[in-house]
Structure formats: C-alpha cells, structure tokens
Amino acid sequence: MRLLLAACLGGLVLFFWGFVANMLLPLGNLGYESPVAEDPVLAAMQANFPREGVYILPNLTPEQYADPVASEAYAKKSAASPYAFIVYQPQGENGLDMVEELSLQLASTVLASALMAWVLGLAPWGFAKRVVVSTVLGVFAWMAVAVPLWTWYRFPADYIGGMLVQQFVGWLLAGIAIAWVLGRKVRRPY
C-alpha cells in the first residue's frame, strides 16, 4: 500500500513539476525555434515524406553505407549542408487539445514513480539517501536518453540542458515525496 501511495504522490509531483517547467518557466521551450516561412516547409514535407517517421537530412540509407561513391558524396553533402532531425506525422492534429497527451504523461509519471518507489524501498535507506538516489537516477535517465540525442542527432545544447534541469528537479521533488511516504526511519535487516 505504501508503494502505491508513493507512486501516486511521486507521479503527481513529477506531473505538476512538468507543468511548471514547461508552462511557467522557459525550460520547456529551450532550443525551440520557428521557421521564417512555415507553410513552404510544411508543403515540402508533405510532398517529400512518404509516411510517418523520423527523417534525418541529409540522409544516407543503410544500403548506401557500403557504397564508397555514395558514402563520399554524403560526406561532402553533409559537410556543406544544413542538418535536420524531423519527427513527421502526415495527419494533422489540434495542437491545443492535449487531453490525451496529458493523460499519457500523468500515467507515465505515476508508473515511473512506481518503479522509483520500488527501487528506493529495496534498501534500508533513510529519507536523505532515498532523495539522493532518486535524484541521481533521474540524472542517470537524462544521461542515458538526452545526451545521445545531443551527441548523435545534434539536439541543441540548451534543449539538452533544459532537460537536465527538468529531470534533476523533477526527481529531487518526486524523491522527497516518495521518501516521505516510504518513511524516514532506516529499516534494519535484523
């Protein structure tokens, strides 16, 4: 019962921290830019992207890696061209109707907090150590997911830095909530 309560409280804390970070602070918008002319870009994507997916431009297909001529042409083109990492969906969606997204986000924060509560409940740690471990695991998640986006896909450093702040503060606050529910006393193994 304690784990369930810790998961729910931790998830709510993470969810509301996400609201603060994205809607009230500039953290959720770091690295985002707007094109000079949006409509021609949208039309070009619609004409050239055959289906939903992630598109990287310039592009080298797996088959072209083995072709020295194609690889050399790609190397020259990629050195001289802009770069884009595009998540594309051909169907439209009302970007202001976020009921489904908010529901999924709440569910994912509760599930993530359930895993965190389970991990923190495994060891006979006190309140402070549980909070530290929660925070460190949040930074671990950032390093495992966000840093590769920066390293391999050239996500902007300010975007990745904003993600670090969101994860650090989020798991610090959720860790406090989870540790509080799990109890402050160290459980002795004897």
Side-chain angles (χ1 to χ4, degrees):
M1 188 63 176
R2 267 186 171 185
L3 285 178
L4 181 61
L5 181 58
C8 290
L9 185 58
L12 287 172
V13 167
L14 271 179
F15 183 79
F16 285 110
W17 161 245
F19 168 78
V20 169
N22 287 285
M23 300 304 289
L24 303 178
L25 300 176
L27 293 173
N29 295 317
L30 293 175
Y32 282 86
E33 300 294 336
S34 296
V36 174
E38 184 176 283
D39 291 336
V41 174
L42 292 172
M45 290 186 337
Q46 201 166 31
N48 293 288
F49 295 164
R51 65 187 151 277
E52 177 177 289
V54 175
Y55 293 83
I56 297 175
L57 302 172
N59 187 34
L60 183 67
T61 67
E63 297 79 28
Q64 292 172 319
Y65 275 106
D67 179 357
V69 174
S71 292
E72 185 177 332
Y74 170 77
K76 288 178 183 175
K77 184 177 182 179
S78 65
S81 299
Y83 168 85
F85 180 97
I86 302 164
V87 179
Y88 178 71
Q89 292 182 326
Q91 72 282 0
E93 185 177 295
N94 182 350
L96 297 177
D97 180 9
M98 296 181 249
V99 173
E100 184 178 342
E101 289 85 352
L102 289 170
S103 300
L104 289 170
Q105 184 64 37
L106 179 59
S108 72
T109 59
V110 170
L111 289 173
S113 292
L115 290 172
M116 185 66 76
W118 178 72
V119 168
L120 297 178
L122 288 175
W125 296 328
F127 179 83
K129 193 170 216 176
R130 284 182 172 143
V131 172
V132 168
V133 170
S134 174
T135 306
V136 168
L137 288 176
V139 172
F140 166 80
W142 170 83
M143 290 179 76
V145 175
V147 172
L149 294 175
W150 174 69
T151 303
W152 295 104
Y153 301 111
R154 304 182 197 175
F155 276 45
D158 52 352
Y159 177 84
I160 299 300
M163 288 180 73
L164 172 60
V165 174
Q166 288 185 59
Q167 293 301 308
F168 181 88
V169 173
W171 284 109
L172 171 68
L173 296 173
I176 290 169
I178 292 167
W180 179 75
V181 171
L182 293 179
R184 298 178 190 194
K185 293 183 180 177
V186 175
R187 294 187 206 135
R188 302 288 180 205
Y190 50 87

